[in-house]
Amino acid sequence: MRRGLALLPLGLLLLAVAEIAVFAAVAHALGALWTLLLIAVSSAAGLLLLRREGIRGWRSFRAAAEAGRAPGRQVSDSLVGLLGALLLALPGFVSAVAGLLLIVPPGRPLARHAVQRVAERRLSAAVAGDLFGPRHVRVRQSDPVDEPAPAPRAAAGEVAPGPVVTGEVVEGEIIR
């Protein structure tokens, strides 16, 4: 995490250089007045979308919570929409294109799934389950064994464990 924060100033510097270069190229192609008008329109659209995405996200979160469903999908979808609207509101063409990619349908579900994967990795299993609902896991079934497995021997002073049960097994975490 600290490494990412250390690279943040460099990333912002590269973004500023890219924004200036793209602005100069668009101003050269269209003219300065049209370029400024495009940036003003994209920023105004971003501000309107920022308000709409915030209200829409809050309503969908409340509806999911009141219905007793896990609100994680609505939360991650709202975060992606808000980030897209915020990038669109920033003055610049590179950030506007990135914001549009997060708002339009092909990019939004991909970004939402990425946000969910990151959240599931960083949160505990219990919190991720409460937020995103039950997880769907794939269980690989091994070849059935005809012979029962021998019971393990107990060491001196220990209680012998029960018999080994063969069959379907789902690996997981026990939460008390």
Side-chain angles (χ1 to χ4, degrees):
M1 185 70 175
R2 292 180 189 224
R3 181 182 224 183
L5 289 177
L7 295 176
L8 185 65
L10 179 63
L12 290 175
L13 179 66
L14 290 174
L15 177 64
V17 168
E19 290 283 7
I20 292 169
V22 170
F23 180 83
V26 172
H28 181 69
L30 298 179
L33 187 60
W34 286 109
T35 303
L36 290 174
L37 184 64
L38 272 174
I39 285 187
V41 167
S42 71
S43 293
L47 290 174
L48 290 174
L49 279 173
L50 194 61
R51 182 175 186 266
R52 187 194 82 168
E53 289 294 327
I55 292 170
R56 189 175 124 205
W58 177 249
R59 285 183 183 157
S60 64
F61 172 76
R62 286 191 48 151
E66 288 172 0
R69 295 187 321 257
R73 182 170 192 253
Q74 286 78 15
V75 169
S76 57
D77 195 39
S78 325
L79 286 174
V80 169
L82 286 170
L83 180 63
L86 182 65
L87 286 173
L88 191 60
L90 291 175
F93 292 111
V94 175
S95 60
V97 168
L100 280 175
L101 288 176
L102 290 177
I103 291 174
V104 295
R108 193 170 191 154
L110 292 174
R112 183 184 67 237
H113 290 301
V115 166
Q116 285 180 355
R117 281 194 307 268
V118 167
E120 286 175 349
R121 269 189 266 135
R122 292 187 181 258
L123 297 174
S124 70
V127 174
D130 289 343
L131 189 59
F132 298 113
R135 294 196 209 185
H136 300 283
V137 296
R138 278 186 243 163
V139 177
R140 290 176 288 179
Q141 186 173 0
S142 62
D143 294 332
V145 179
D146 293 334
E147 301 174 16
R153 295 184 179 205
E158 292 182 3
V159 178
V164 176
V165 179
T166 58
E168 295 183 17
V169 176
V170 177
E171 292 185 31
E173 185 177 24
I174 298 174
I175 300 171
R176 294 182 187 210

